[in-house]
Amino acid sequence: MGHVASFCSVIVVDDSNVAEADLLLRTISTSPEFTMRLRDRKIQLGHPLRLTCQVGGVGRIEVKWEKDSLDITDTTYSFQDKNFYTLEKSNLKLEDTGIYRARAINEFGEVACSCSVVVCTDYSVLPRWIKTLRDYVKVIEGGIIVIEGQCQAWPSVSVKWFKDSNRLRCHFNRRFRFELDTHGHISLVIQNSNQNDSGIYTAVVENEIGSIESICCVEVIGEDEDIEKKLSSS
């Protein structure tokens, strides 16, 4: 049916000074720390979700939960057992897919950890945008163009980039760099830009279920043109 795991670290010392120093360090006023972080989850539609983290620290510690950077205000499904903090939700829907975050707070500071939760049917889900591309990017000629966004899907996605409906391939132009990480962050970076790089850029994200796209307008202006605009606006 599955498996669970846990771990601990044991150090044996024969010097009482070392043990006393370790105890002193543990009582110094510091921010909380995660001794067990959240883990990415892929859960079938209608099944329950359970996210648990373990937090260490001194003083009163409060853990707040977020989904896609918005506070989860319904605390009915969150609870604490000693230094373990858990968020539960039953009967998951597709819209429960997102990035979940736990923020641990005490009087000395705050730390956070996050995980990706994908709710899927038949363990596959259509890609969706967590953060679309910016509508408009303007850079001065010679600068670096960065177009970025974040998506989520299961199975993993591939990304194709287009400029004015023409597909871009990085091995044809060494100034271009395409990036895609395990958290769904995508980016197109163009070094040493020139005015020919101005145009409409499209990112197409796809997997075996389907595809989505987002568009960004890029304008590269000359340095003289930028100075003229600043003077005219002053």
Side-chain angles (χ1 to χ4, degrees):
M1 298 296 292
H3 69 275
V4 295
S6 184
F7 67 92
C8 71
S9 176
V10 177
I11 301 176
V12 179
V13 297
D14 56 6
D15 187 338
S16 60
N17 292 328
V18 174
E20 290 174 2
D22 179 70
L23 180 61
L24 178 62
L25 288 173
R26 293 176 185 274
T27 59
I28 294 176
S29 301
T30 58
S31 302
E33 65 173 346
F34 286 97
T35 51
M36 185 179 77
R37 305 179 70 85
L38 301 176
R39 297 177 61 182
D40 292 345
R41 302 293 304 277
K42 178 171 67 73
I43 303 175
Q44 196 165 10
L45 182 69
H47 285 207
L49 168 68
R50 181 184 176 97
L51 299 176
T52 299
C53 60
Q54 184 180 17
V55 183
V58 298
R60 180 179 178 272
I61 298 176
E62 180 183 11
V63 171
K64 297 183 178 180
W65 295 90
E66 298 176 357
K67 175 182 177 290
D68 295 335
S69 300
L70 298 177
D71 290 336
I72 298 176
T73 55
D74 185 356
T75 58
T76 305
Y77 303 107
S78 63
F79 59 89
Q80 176 188 356
D81 180 11
K82 295 183 179 179
N83 58 343
F84 289 89
Y85 297 81
T86 299
L87 177 71
E88 288 187 343
K89 188 173 179 62
S90 60
N91 192 25
L92 289 185
K93 302 176 182 178
L94 290 176
E95 53 264 32
D96 292 318
T97 292
I99 301 298
Y100 287 75
R101 186 168 181 247
R103 294 168 50 221
I105 307 164
N106 69 4
E107 59 182 307
F108 307 109
E110 174 181 335
V111 292
C113 69
S114 60
C115 68
S116 169
V117 173
V118 176
V119 182
C120 51
T121 57
D122 298 327
Y123 294 101
S124 297
V125 65
L126 181 73
R128 75 179 187 99
W129 289 108
I130 297 174
K131 177 184 176 182
T132 58
L133 307 183
R134 291 174 56 188
D135 293 333
Y136 178 69
V137 172
K138 180 172 72 173
V139 299
I140 300 174
E141 189 170 17
I144 300 174
I145 300 171
V146 179
I147 309 171
E148 56 187 354
Q150 186 179 8
C151 60
Q152 188 175 53
W154 188 273
S156 58
V157 298
S158 63
V159 181
K160 297 177 182 177
W161 289 93
F162 297 83
K163 175 181 179 291
D164 299 330
S165 300
N166 297 312
R167 185 172 178 183
L168 300 175
R169 301 182 186 274
C170 60
H171 56 273
F172 288 156
N173 195 324
R174 295 183 179 275
R175 296 188 301 118
F176 292 6
R177 185 174 77 248
F178 305 148
E179 296 179 348
L180 169 63
D181 68 17
T182 55
H183 295 290
H185 294 97
I186 69 168
S187 64
L188 166 61
V189 180
I190 304 176
Q191 304 280 347
N192 192 27
S193 63
N194 58 64
Q195 295 190 13
N196 290 330
D197 294 321
S198 297
I200 303 298
Y201 288 78
T202 304
V204 178
V205 177
E206 59 186 358
N207 66 5
E208 61 189 42
I209 307 302
S211 65
I212 54 174
E213 64 180 49
S214 184
I215 294 174
C216 173
C217 176
V218 173
E219 181 183 9
V220 181
I221 62 174
E223 188 172 354
D224 293 340
E225 184 180 353
D226 182 60
I227 294 174
E228 290 176 3
K229 288 185 178 180
K230 289 181 179 179
L231 290 175
S232 62
S233 62
S234 62

